[in-house]
Amino acid sequence: VLTPIADAVPLVLDPVLSATAGGLDAPAELARVYRERLLPLAAVFTPNLPELTAIGAGRASVAIEHGAGAVLVKGGHGDGPQSEDLLQLPGGHFAFRRERLPVGRVRGTGCALASAI
């Protein structure tokens, strides 16, 4: 039923398995549904690092193998002085690095990025 919509409108899939500010621990069954049912519909999949671990065993290529057109891994959950986002395409990848800013725990940054896409 969803396939005709996916063919007509590029879908951005921003999973809700883990929040930057914490407080969310989704079951493994939900990660399986994302992998098997939703990734094939996604033009762009935008997980954060914990969500990528749950859905794609920590590898963006797994999402591509399951049908996502592109994967933009949001690196805000990483460590170190720089944050790195990774854009994985079927033919390669690009890394976007920037200085990590000391802003504390915030909510909605990944949602805002997915909405902008």
Side-chain angles (χ1 to χ4, degrees):
V1 174
L2 293 178
T3 303
I5 293 171
D7 290 342
V9 178
L11 299 175
V12 176
L13 176 61
D14 187 39
V16 181
L17 295 178
S18 171
T20 300
L24 181 61
D25 185 21
E29 178 67 11
L30 182 56
R32 184 190 66 75
V33 170
Y34 271 103
R35 193 171 38 255
E36 295 177 7
R37 299 289 184 107
L38 298 175
L39 284 178
L41 302 175
V44 181
F45 175 52
T46 61
N48 60 33
L49 292 170
E51 291 163 342
L52 182 64
T53 297
I55 294 171
R59 296 187 348 260
S61 60
V62 170
I64 298 288
E65 292 165 7
H66 279 83
V71 181
L72 179 59
V73 181
K74 301 170 288 191
H77 283 82
D79 294 323
Q82 289 193 329
S83 179
E84 179 177 290
D85 295 344
L86 176 72
L87 176 62
Q88 178 75 48
L89 302 167
H93 67 274
F94 301 92
F96 304 94
R97 292 179 191 91
R98 66 199 172 281
E99 180 182 345
R100 188 176 303 279
L101 301 175
V103 296
R105 298 176 80 89
V106 294
R107 292 185 180 270
T109 55
C111 300
L113 176 62
S115 295
I117 294 171

